[in-house]
Amino acid sequence: MVDKLTAVKGMNDILPPESARWEWLEAIVRDLMGLYAYRNVRTPILEHTALFVRGIGEVTDIVEKEMYAFEDRSDKHGQAEHLAMRPENTAGVVRAVIEHNMLYEGPKRLWYTGPMFRREKPQRGRYRQFHQIGAEALGFAGPDVDAELILLAAALWKRIGLTDVRLELNSLGQPAERASHRAQLIAHFEQHADKLDEDGKRRLHSNPLRILDTKNPAMKAVVDSAPRLIDFLGADSLAHFDGLKAILDTNGVAYTVNHRLVRGLDYYNLSVFEFVTDRLGAQGTVCAGGRYDDLISQMGGKPAPAVGWALGIERVLALLEEEGAAVPAPVPDVYAVVPAAAAMPVALQVLQQLRACGVSVQMHAATAEGLSSFKSQFKKADASGAAFALVFGADELARGEVIVKSLRDGSGAQVARPLHAVATWATTLQSPAPNQ
Ligand code: ATP
Ligand code: MG
């Protein structure tokens, strides 16, 4: 039992003013996805545990140790379902695509955003509830759509003013190519078994490719001297990789080929990529993705190629802050000063009309102590950042008017406006730039 109620460790409240940064990013993403004709999908947070075991792979960190999975209460037949909070959303999207036969009419471009859950050690940029934005293109086989997805991510960095990310690329080839590489990789690591750490030894026979992904600097030499997957790729895989690089070159997208880039999840093939930064320590991967041509059939769907990426919202926002990039803070256009309760009915009526005209208004409302003094209301108006105060004084109201006072231009200019024609002066209160 806890005496003080707190949020669960590693799960954060996102509150104002921080939440404004999230809304700002989400609005840009929504707009950008529209420009690239990606359509939004919303899948459940809870899925059958089996979905992630099949979709992500049994010998992955996520499924082995990070998933919030539990047995639900049993139904009337004594059957209980095994459910899990989604640790990522590609599996969920693919399930939905198969379940609803979405590729029947042709390929699809989809995107999502929402919370994901992994029981990891919480630290900056690594949480137990974190949030991703993801884009998936399903049913397209060529490197062109891989490039489109990378260009989409690059466009997002540009829009939000993020500069300190670099793109790393690799090709994982096809399963048969990986199999012959795998044999040589195991031989190499067995020869140098003394240089492997715990994780390395454990992965040696379950998932040796993942050893390349180690963050342990002591293993750098043994990893650097390991056989490179690229040398095992056949002509088709290489052509796909070259195709992707050519499009990126033409479009001025800089990248480096990182032969050790393998990604944490089992289902990737051909192109894999990450946008990384050095400014977030070990949490330097901001966005990661790749091709997963075998996943749809592996999950029981009609075989179809696919590719996608997911970015971590917390990391993107942390990096933006690290870079000192300006994120606009929302302020109301108008703060309504209401000296007496008697003025409230008319005040609310006027404010409704202003909002209908697109003017954002913060109203001074009564607290448990009632309405505060005129002076203190004006202080609040100033602190709100609004450009104008609307003053609903009794005398003006009696004349059918309200006072509009300028708060930001230093003039303190006041003008009386008619209550019966709000729409005629509403536009004079709107800030020139959109309020986001
Ligand atoms: P890492 O190597 O940092 O653990 P990952 O390979 O597990 O990342 P993915 O599963 O590819 O990450 O998820 C895509 C993105 O989601 C990551 O690049 C990162 O930005 C973000 N992400 C993943 N796990 C977390 C987490 N626990 N907290 C915050 N963001 C995360
Ligand atoms: Mg991870």
Side-chain angles (χ1 to χ4, degrees):
M1 237 347 246
V2 284
D3 16 319
K4 199 171 160 203
L5 292 173
T6 58
V8 175
K9 183 176 161 194
M11 306 199 176
N12 300 311
D13 298 312
I14 298 146
L15 309 172
E18 170 68 7
S19 55
R21 296 159 50 80
W22 288 65
E23 289 190 288
W24 168 81
L25 177 64
E26 286 156 2
I28 291 175
V29 167
R30 203 175 311 128
D31 184 48
L32 205 55
M33 292 295 177
L35 291 179
Y36 285 76
Y38 281 64
R39 304 297 172 223
N40 186 241
V41 286
R42 297 160 193 238
T43 61
I45 285 169
L46 276 183
E47 296 271 5
H48 293 289
T49 307
L51 171 69
F52 302 116
V53 176
R54 257 165 85 184
I56 299 174
E58 228 152 333
V59 283
T60 54
D61 285 351
I62 294 181
V63 170
E64 278 179 345
K65 46 188 196 197
E66 296 175 358
M67 211 152 53
Y68 286 94
F70 62 94
E71 203 177 304
D72 200 7
R73 290 187 202 195
S74 27
D75 62 15
K76 59 181 185 229
H77 309 293
Q79 298 290 316
E81 292 192 298
H82 292 266
L83 303 179
M85 314 262 286
R86 63 184 186 196
E88 55 92 58
N89 207 28
T90 299
V93 168
V94 167
R95 181 207 39 78
V97 161
I98 297 171
E99 187 170 339
H100 304 286
N101 227 345
M102 285 174 73
L103 298 184
Y104 179 73
E105 330 153 333
K108 284 273 180 300
R109 291 175 168 89
L110 306 173
W111 76 277
Y112 61 82
T113 181
M116 308 295 159
F117 302 85
R118 299 183 194 176
R119 193 186 281 102
E120 300 195 71
K121 186 164 165 261
Q123 51 200 291
R124 182 171 184 230
R126 194 175 294 285
Y127 308 100
R128 291 182 165 184
Q129 175 174 333
F130 63 99
H131 300 78
Q132 288 184 336
I133 292 164
E136 317 278 359
L138 306 110
F140 302 98
D144 46 355
V145 81
D146 305 23
E148 174 182 279
L149 277 159
I150 290 173
L151 290 169
L152 167 51
L156 176 59
W157 312 144
K158 192 162 176 210
R159 280 251 193 145
I160 64 177
L162 203 67
T163 53
D164 201 354
V165 279
R166 52 174 204 280
L167 173 62
E168 297 194 344
L169 288 184
N170 196 12
S171 175
L172 298 182
Q174 298 295 4
E177 294 156 355
R178 277 213 298 282
S180 42
H181 172 248
R182 180 189 158 108
Q184 299 219 7
L185 197 60
I186 292 178
H188 169 81
F189 285 131
E190 273 176 340
Q191 228 173 35
H192 302 95
D194 54 316
K195 309 231 172 50
L196 297 182
D197 60 11
E198 276 306 299
D199 254 357
K201 290 201 176 93
R202 197 167 51 83
R203 286 174 176 154
L204 182 51
H205 292 282
S206 65
N207 199 346
L209 205 58
R210 287 293 315 278
I211 301 178
L212 300 178
D213 193 23
T214 180
K215 284 171 182 144
N216 181 355
M219 284 169 54
K220 188 172 184 323
V222 68
V223 159
D224 282 348
S225 59
R228 299 185 329 177
L229 181 50
I230 193 111
D231 300 323
F232 292 76
L233 299 193
D236 287 352
S237 294
L238 286 173
H240 194 282
F241 197 33
D242 290 341
L244 171 59
K245 290 188 288 188
I247 298 173
L248 296 179
D249 289 338
T250 304
N251 284 274
V253 177
Y255 58 85
T256 54
V257 175
N258 174 355
H259 295 289
R260 283 180 286 112
L261 181 63
V262 297
R263 305 291 307 116
L265 311 182
D266 276 355
Y267 51 62
Y268 289 104
N269 72 318
L270 293 173
S271 324
V272 287
F273 51 89
E274 288 189 352
F275 285 92
V276 295
T277 178
D278 296 323
R279 296 176 78 152
L280 297 176
Q283 279 61 250
T285 306
V286 166
C287 174
R291 202 158 253 292
Y292 49 93
D293 292 339
D294 295 322
L295 183 62
I296 297 176
S297 61
Q298 190 182 308
M299 287 178 46
K302 197 165 149 253
V307 53
W309 56 243
L311 66 81
I313 297 183
E314 286 85 351
R315 291 189 193 177
V316 167
L317 290 175
L319 182 56
L320 267 178
E321 197 169 345
E322 193 71 28
E323 291 188 11
V327 174
V331 291
D333 296 317
V334 170
Y335 192 98
V337 171
V338 193
M344 277 299 180
V346 175
L348 266 85
Q349 200 180 22
V350 171
L351 303 189
Q352 278 303 81
Q353 293 176 50
L354 284 176
R355 292 172 183 134
C357 296
V359 178
S360 81
V361 186
Q362 183 171 343
M363 183 186 80
H364 192 92
T367 63
E369 285 78 42
L371 283 169
S372 46
S373 72
F374 195 70
K375 197 172 148 205
S376 119
Q377 290 200 29
F378 256 103
K379 269 198 190 146
K380 293 254 162 54
D382 255 328
S384 75
F388 300 96
L390 230 56
V391 188
F392 290 91
D395 294 348
E396 288 79 16
L397 286 187
R399 285 201 297 272
E401 290 176 343
V402 61
I403 298 290
V404 177
K405 186 171 159 59
S406 173
L407 296 175
R408 291 280 161 263
D409 63 5
S411 68
Q414 298 198 168
V415 12
R417 297 291 194 184
L419 296 175
H420 64 85
V422 171
T424 60
W425 48 273
T427 47
T428 64
L429 304 176
Q430 260 175 313
S431 48
N435 207 23
Q436 271 288 313

